[in-house]
Amino acid sequence: MGEVKKNKKISNNSSKYDGDIETMRQELEKYKLVFKHSPEAIVILDKKGNILDINKRLQDWLGYKPDEVIGNNLLKLPFLSKMSKVEVMKKFAARMLGKKVPPYELEFITKSGEKRIGLIQASPVKDANGKIIQDLVMISDITDRKLTEKEIKKLSFIVEQSVDGMVITDLEAKIVYANNAFTKMHGYSLQEMLGLKLEKLHNPEQIRSFREIINQIKIKGLLADGHEHLRRDGAPFPILSSISILKDEEEKPIGIFEICRDITEKKETEEVIKKFREIDKVKDEFLNVAAHELKTPLTCIIGMSEVVKKQQHNLTIGQQSSINIIYEEAFRLKRVIGQILKVTRFESNKTIIEKEPFNLADFIKSILPTLNIIAKKSESEIDIKLEDKKIKLISDKEKINEVIYNLVDNAIKYGPKKQTITLQITRPEKDKIKIEVIDQGKGIPVSLQKKVFVKFGQLEPSLSRTQEGTGLGLYICKLIIEQLGGQIGVKSEEGKGSTFYFTLPIK
């Protein structure tokens, strides 16, 4: 009996043992399924850092097959860079020593060479006696998240460094976000501004309901608006803003986004410019009136001077000298008045351009005697270089003559004696001619070349000026050439002379 009982007892133990085996098998299958289908990449290591197994997610993620990874030591893994291997070994060694290692990020390299970022979470596997026998490593792919974070940081930096104010409100016009520029221009801190109704920042006389704005944006998509905001101290300031509606994924309005710029300085600048224009207009009107008023008496003075000059035999030498001075100065003043009137006519579009067809070579030949006369003043010569003698223009001969005369006169006036002034005519393009006046003077500094064609522009200071002039000659040349459809300019180098040139369309 005892023997039977003993066998029965053994039989009972065997049955219980068999039940535990089945439970273990079920648990094992469950873990295998988790290991196989886990959304996270899993790696199992032994105590020496050798790979015992990897799951399918790791294979799909990095592109390596199990036989390319399993059996390798951490230091020989193909998907880790040298720096990553060093980092992994440090963390692995710490875990094997029983130290707690928090999650960390690591760079991985796929088989195709792509770099990915993984978040490592690992924990040692212990036996029944608490001895570490393996290491279980789970890796989450956070590449996209890191890229998004990077983009957010970049956008955040741009938004916060922007000179334009940016604000987001909910549909009740309460501020939920404002960038640095927006808070500064209004004089608030961000904490003070959050939850504030945007209407409080608007000039009370210009407040419009945000429902109305939303309705307008629904129609137009974007509302560009110029109005006034209020600073914290109540001072109004002008802004220019663009307002758009924010929508969720279902295209439902969820808020308002506004970009605004403080245009106080712009407004002030515009006011200054406006005042200068008004002053300039008054000055031009004054010059025009003064020129007209002076023209008649000057004509009389010049006429009377000429009459008296013809009777010089009845005058003393001193009287003759005085009459000559009166005549010459009056004649010079008449030229100045003529220039002023010419400028005002050009600027008010009252100048008449009379275009006609003519042969350019014949035209240059006709004006050469006059150019030679003014060249003789400084014992200089005019050298004509004409590339094509058959060029025909349709333009205003008198206006072109005036420009050439002015450029040659300047070359003689500001250049050395006994120089050769070259008048060069070329055809750089089929429908365009170029006329250059090349002198052998001292040249013009680059810093002053832009000043040459400005109204009343003078290269020499007024107190030390060696030549008389109003600063209108080249400005008039510019007005003429531009009205004829061409361009005018200068090329110069100090010590190497200057080349004044202008282009004209052939037709």
Side-chain angles (χ1 to χ4, degrees):
M1 289 288 292
E3 189 176 350
V4 173
K5 285 181 181 179
K6 188 176 179 181
N7 289 338
K8 188 177 180 180
K9 187 176 180 181
I10 291 172
S11 176
N12 287 340
N13 286 342
S14 176
S15 175
K16 185 180 178 182
Y17 184 70
D18 290 341
D20 289 341
I21 291 291
E22 184 59 32
T23 302
M24 288 174 67
R25 281 177 183 163
Q26 290 176 4
E27 289 294 318
L28 183 60
E29 288 301 319
K30 190 193 299 181
Y31 289 132
K32 280 183 178 180
L33 285 172
V34 171
F35 182 76
K36 183 177 180 181
H37 299 289
S38 171
E40 309 291 352
I42 300 175
V43 180
I44 299 175
L45 306 164
D46 66 15
K47 285 179 62 178
K48 294 181 179 179
N50 298 315
I51 308 298
L52 297 177
D53 204 355
I54 60 172
N55 71 340
K56 189 175 185 304
R57 171 60 183 143
L58 187 83
Q59 299 169 42
D60 295 340
W61 183 42
L62 298 178
Y64 286 94
K65 295 178 181 178
D67 58 0
E68 294 177 289
V69 178
I70 294 172
N72 282 329
N73 188 270
L74 283 173
L75 292 174
K76 294 183 179 179
L77 288 177
F79 49 75
L80 294 178
S81 65
K82 286 183 179 180
M83 292 297 293
S84 295
K85 287 174 183 176
V86 172
E87 185 69 13
V88 164
M89 284 304 296
K90 284 181 181 178
K91 304 291 186 185
F92 174 75
R95 288 196 302 275
M96 292 302 100
L97 292 172
K99 295 180 181 179
K100 190 174 181 180
V101 177
Y104 63 98
E105 295 173 9
L106 197 68
E107 184 181 271
F108 291 82
I109 304 169
T110 67
K111 196 169 184 178
S112 62
E114 182 185 1
K115 290 182 179 179
R116 308 291 293 178
I117 306 297
L119 179 67
I120 311 293
Q121 298 181 81
S123 59
V125 179
K126 300 178 182 179
D127 62 13
N129 298 319
K131 188 178 179 182
I132 296 172
I133 55 173
Q134 290 178 352
D135 193 33
L136 179 66
V137 181
M138 298 186 72
I139 308 167
S140 304
D141 183 3
I142 59 169
T143 309
D144 293 339
R145 191 184 84 189
K146 294 298 289 185
L147 288 173
T148 303
E149 286 176 359
K150 190 176 179 181
E151 287 299 313
I152 289 172
K153 283 182 181 179
K154 186 164 69 175
L155 289 172
S156 175
F157 177 79
I158 292 169
V159 168
E160 289 304 323
Q161 295 297 316
S162 173
V163 296
D164 292 326
M166 299 182 190
V167 62
I168 297 174
T169 76
D170 59 20
L171 291 178
E172 294 179 358
K174 288 182 180 178
I175 296 173
V176 296
Y177 169 78
N179 73 341
N180 191 40
F182 190 86
T183 56
K184 276 189 174 181
M185 73 171 67
H186 291 86
Y188 290 85
S189 69
L190 178 59
Q191 291 304 316
E192 291 171 326
M193 194 164 270
L194 292 176
L196 194 70
K197 279 248 182 180
L198 196 56
E199 282 91 340
K200 289 190 176 182
L201 302 178
H202 284 250
N203 187 328
E205 297 177 2
Q206 298 178 343
I207 290 177
R208 294 171 303 169
S209 74
F210 266 76
R211 296 295 176 186
E212 181 187 341
I213 290 176
I214 291 172
N215 290 334
Q216 289 187 44
I217 296 170
K218 282 179 180 177
I219 298 168
K220 299 179 181 179
L222 185 73
L223 183 65
D225 188 44
H227 52 278
E228 285 187 338
H229 274 200
L230 298 177
R231 302 194 198 277
R232 187 172 182 173
D233 60 6
F237 66 99
I239 69 158
L240 186 65
S241 67
S242 295
I243 307 169
S244 57
I245 193 165
L246 293 176
K247 297 179 181 180
D248 61 16
E249 293 178 355
E250 297 176 356
E251 293 297 306
K252 291 180 180 178
I254 57 173
I256 299 293
F257 177 53
E258 181 177 5
I259 301 176
C260 59
R261 176 171 291 183
D262 183 347
I263 55 171
T264 305
E265 289 184 6
K266 183 186 175 186
K267 286 284 185 184
E268 291 172 352
T269 303
E270 285 175 353
E271 286 299 317
V272 172
I273 291 170
K274 186 179 177 182
K275 286 178 182 177
F276 272 119
R277 283 176 177 164
E278 288 172 356
I279 293 169
D280 198 47
K281 187 178 179 183
V282 170
K283 179 201 70 179
D284 287 343
E285 288 174 356
F286 168 76
L287 287 173
N288 193 31
V289 171
H292 275 288
E293 290 298 320
L294 288 169
K295 192 174 180 182
T296 302
L298 271 173
T299 302
C300 293
I301 292 170
I302 291 168
M304 291 300 295
S305 299
E306 286 178 336
V307 170
V308 174
K309 280 177 73 174
K310 290 177 181 178
Q311 306 296 325
Q312 284 192 11
H313 58 277
N314 296 324
L315 303 175
T316 65
I317 294 174
Q319 289 171 334
Q320 290 176 18
S321 177
S322 297
I323 288 298
N324 287 333
I325 291 171
I326 291 170
Y327 176 80
E328 288 172 5
E329 291 303 310
F331 202 82
R332 185 175 69 84
L333 190 54
K334 185 181 178 182
R335 284 199 304 269
V336 171
I337 289 170
Q339 285 185 323
I340 292 170
L341 290 173
K342 193 172 289 183
V343 167
T344 56
R345 282 197 297 271
F346 265 109
E347 292 182 336
S348 59
N349 295 317
K350 291 180 180 178
T351 301
I352 298 171
I353 299 294
E354 296 179 351
K355 293 185 178 181
E356 59 180 308
F358 61 93
N359 179 276
L360 186 58
D362 293 341
F363 166 70
I364 296 297
K365 187 178 178 181
S366 70
I367 66 172
L368 186 57
T370 307
L371 299 179
N372 282 327
I373 289 170
I374 60 173
K376 284 180 180 179
K377 293 178 184 178
S378 65
E379 302 175 45
S380 299
E381 294 180 354
I382 305 294
D383 181 26
I384 304 293
K385 289 185 178 179
L386 187 58
E387 188 180 76
D388 185 352
K389 294 183 179 181
K390 295 180 181 179
I391 298 173
K392 287 187 177 180
L393 284 183
I394 300 176
S395 195
D396 191 319
K397 287 197 293 185
E398 293 304 314
K399 297 288 189 296
I400 297 171
N401 181 24
E402 185 177 347
V403 173
I404 294 174
Y405 182 92
N406 205 319
L407 295 181
V408 172
D409 187 50
N410 275 358
I412 292 164
K413 192 186 294 183
Y414 297 102
K417 285 189 175 184
K418 298 181 181 180
Q419 65 169 319
T420 298
I421 297 164
T422 304
L423 183 61
Q424 183 168 280
I425 298 96
T426 56
R427 191 171 182 171
E429 296 176 27
K430 186 179 179 181
D431 57 350
K432 185 185 291 184
I433 60 130
K434 185 177 186 180
I435 298 177
E436 298 170 284
V437 176
I438 307 164
D439 65 39
Q440 296 175 329
K442 60 183 179 181
I444 303 169
V446 175
S447 59
L448 296 177
Q449 288 177 20
K450 287 184 179 179
K451 193 178 178 182
V452 166
F453 298 102
V454 176
K455 184 163 61 172
F456 299 114
Q458 295 281 0
L459 298 184
E460 297 178 307
S462 58
L463 294 177
S464 60
R465 199 175 299 155
T466 58
Q467 296 291 339
E468 295 176 348
T470 59
L472 290 174
L474 289 175
Y475 178 64
I476 291 170
C477 290
K478 181 175 182 286
L479 294 175
I480 291 172
I481 295 303
E482 287 179 352
Q483 201 154 25
L484 293 176
Q487 292 180 319
I488 193 167
V490 61
K491 294 182 292 184
S492 186
E493 190 176 339
E494 288 187 81
K496 294 186 178 180
S498 303
T499 299
F500 283 84
Y501 64 89
F502 63 89
T503 61
L504 287 172
I506 288 176
K507 292 185 180 179

